[in-house]
Amino acid sequence: MSCVFAISDLHTDYDANMEFVESLPVRSEDVLIVAGDVSDDITRLIETLSILKGKYKEVYFIPGNHELWINKTDIAPNSLVKLFEIVRHCAAIGVRTEPGKVRCLDGSDVWIVPLYSWYAGPDDDPKNTLYVPGGLSSWTDMTLKEMGWSDAYFCKWPQLKRRASGSCPSLAQLFADMNTERLTNDYDAPVITFSHFVPRPELMRASVQDESEIALERNIMGLPSPDWKEKEFGTRFNFSRVAGSNILDRQLRKIRSMLHVYGHQHRNRDRTIRRVRYVSHCLGNPREHGEGITWGIATWAGPKLIHGHS
């Protein structure tokens, strides 16, 4: 019987983050959700997931954007091929990328359902984008490469097949289509879904509670209360352009998810919107968790307990 924990954006390419993973306690009866962005290097990714698999009864994983970067050590010709290669590696070490049922401490069951995803941009998928105008420039003024967005340099995509209508799907729709068989009413217990990307625009902006949580996190870490707001920390471009897709929210609600875990934004959240609880519990880079911006990491001393406690 298990508790369910969650974390994302471990970024173990940073040695300090790998040391964090290695220092986590063993929870051999519990389940861990890892919502993407562990490493762009497959060897480092599998090493990290193997360490976590040695600490938890089950580990569930979905790749993020960093996993799909094509670097010099990759033999995959493009990011989609690398995605399927990662799924095969996960199966080989016992890390789950498919839906599964978990028996919780109180004797109840819960389904954990991973959802593939990508972000919808205002240029390639205006219907499904989370883009909110604002920031230093409009999306029409600057390409993602000009913004310095790494995916534009390191992700390599094959030519997408046209649909019967003659149009090509956006990447957000292509990834959403991979979830088709998972969007069923056959789940016979409550459902927890998870993705890497953000499912709703409201989740991008910090609430008063989020700012309070950062102050609490810094207090636990022995740091003074911040003299800045969350939105002033780090990102200098309009993140909403690459945040996620509202397709995700439609999909998770179609299977009546009660709780959705996500990552990507390196800003942590725990709030309920229209009867669904949304949790982002990112580790982030060493500066972010060192400053308490990814609140909850010190509070929970690692992954966050999200379900199954008695």
Side-chain angles (χ1 to χ4, degrees):
M1 295 186 181
S2 305
C3 295
V4 182
F5 290 79
I7 199 165
S8 74
D9 297 86
L10 289 169
H11 293 292
T12 55
D13 300 298
Y14 294 104
D15 289 340
N17 285 18
M18 179 58 98
E19 291 170 6
F20 169 88
V21 170
E22 292 171 335
S23 71
L24 294 174
V26 173
R27 298 185 181 277
S28 57
E29 295 300 316
D30 295 327
V31 172
L32 178 66
I33 290 171
V34 182
D37 272 13
V38 173
S39 175
D40 63 281
D41 180 81
I42 284 187
T43 300
R44 192 72 156 183
L45 168 65
I46 298 307
E47 179 186 3
T48 306
L49 292 176
S50 296
I51 291 171
L52 293 172
K53 186 66 176 69
K55 294 175 181 289
Y56 287 83
K57 181 179 181 179
E58 295 283 3
V59 174
Y60 285 79
F61 174 70
I62 202 79
N65 51 315
H66 281 241
E67 276 80 28
L68 302 193
W69 291 0
I70 301 296
N71 58 42
K72 293 179 181 178
T73 63
D74 284 314
I75 60 173
N78 61 61
S79 296
L80 280 183
V81 173
K82 187 175 182 182
L83 169 65
F84 299 128
E85 185 179 331
I86 288 169
V87 169
R88 288 194 296 272
H89 279 293
C90 286
I93 62 172
V95 169
R96 305 194 61 153
T97 58
E98 300 283 335
K101 187 190 285 188
V102 173
R103 175 62 55 88
C104 299
L105 271 178
D106 61 2
S108 66
D109 293 330
V110 64
W111 278 92
I112 298 179
V113 181
L115 295 177
Y116 291 105
S117 61
W118 198 258
Y119 45 85
D123 47 352
D124 71 318
D125 195 348
K127 178 182 176 182
N128 294 306
T129 188
L130 301 186
Y131 175 70
V132 179
L136 299 178
S137 62
S138 166
W139 68 268
T140 58
D141 298 331
M142 191 181 297
T143 67
L144 290 178
K145 276 192 174 182
E146 290 169 337
M147 287 169 55
W149 186 242
S150 295
D151 292 354
Y153 291 90
F154 299 123
C155 289
K156 310 294 182 185
W157 303 107
Q159 186 173 354
L160 302 183
K161 293 182 179 180
R162 292 187 178 274
R163 293 175 167 171
S165 63
S167 64
C168 285
S170 67
L171 286 171
Q173 188 62 62
L174 177 72
F175 277 74
D177 288 347
M178 296 180 191
N179 299 326
T180 299
E181 293 184 359
R182 303 178 184 196
L183 305 180
T184 174
N185 292 321
D186 293 339
Y187 300 114
D188 58 357
V191 174
I192 295 173
T193 49
F194 73 100
S195 63
H196 178 63
F197 293 99
V198 183
R200 294 184 68 94
E202 305 98 309
L203 297 167
M204 291 184 286
R205 187 177 296 276
S207 66
V208 172
Q209 181 63 33
D210 293 322
E211 300 288 0
S212 297
E213 293 286 359
I214 291 172
L216 175 61
E217 183 86 350
R218 287 174 62 87
N219 182 60
I220 291 171
M221 298 168 68
L223 299 173
S225 295
D227 56 3
W228 37 262
K229 296 293 185 182
E230 184 200 77
K231 66 180 180 180
E232 299 166 352
F233 190 96
T235 303
R236 294 185 59 81
F237 64 89
N238 190 335
F239 174 75
S240 69
R241 185 174 175 181
V242 293
S245 166
N246 59 35
I247 303 174
L248 265 173
D249 205 54
R250 294 198 297 270
Q251 290 190 332
L252 68 90
R253 288 176 181 276
K254 183 174 182 178
I255 57 176
R256 299 183 177 87
S257 175
M258 65 172 182
L259 192 163
H260 185 77
V261 176
Y262 68 98
H264 187 49
Q265 64 185 11
H266 292 208
R267 301 293 184 266
N268 290 353
R269 305 284 185 257
D270 191 339
R271 65 180 71 159
T272 298
I273 303 172
R274 293 177 53 205
R275 294 181 291 182
V276 176
R277 181 185 173 198
Y278 298 87
V279 173
S280 174
H281 192 67
C282 309
L283 176 61
N285 64 49
R287 179 177 177 233
E288 288 166 329
H289 59 79
E291 291 286 344
I293 194 73
T294 50
W295 61 263
I297 294 297
T299 303
W300 287 99
K304 181 172 184 171
L305 176 61
I306 60 167
H307 185 76
H309 55 287
S310 57

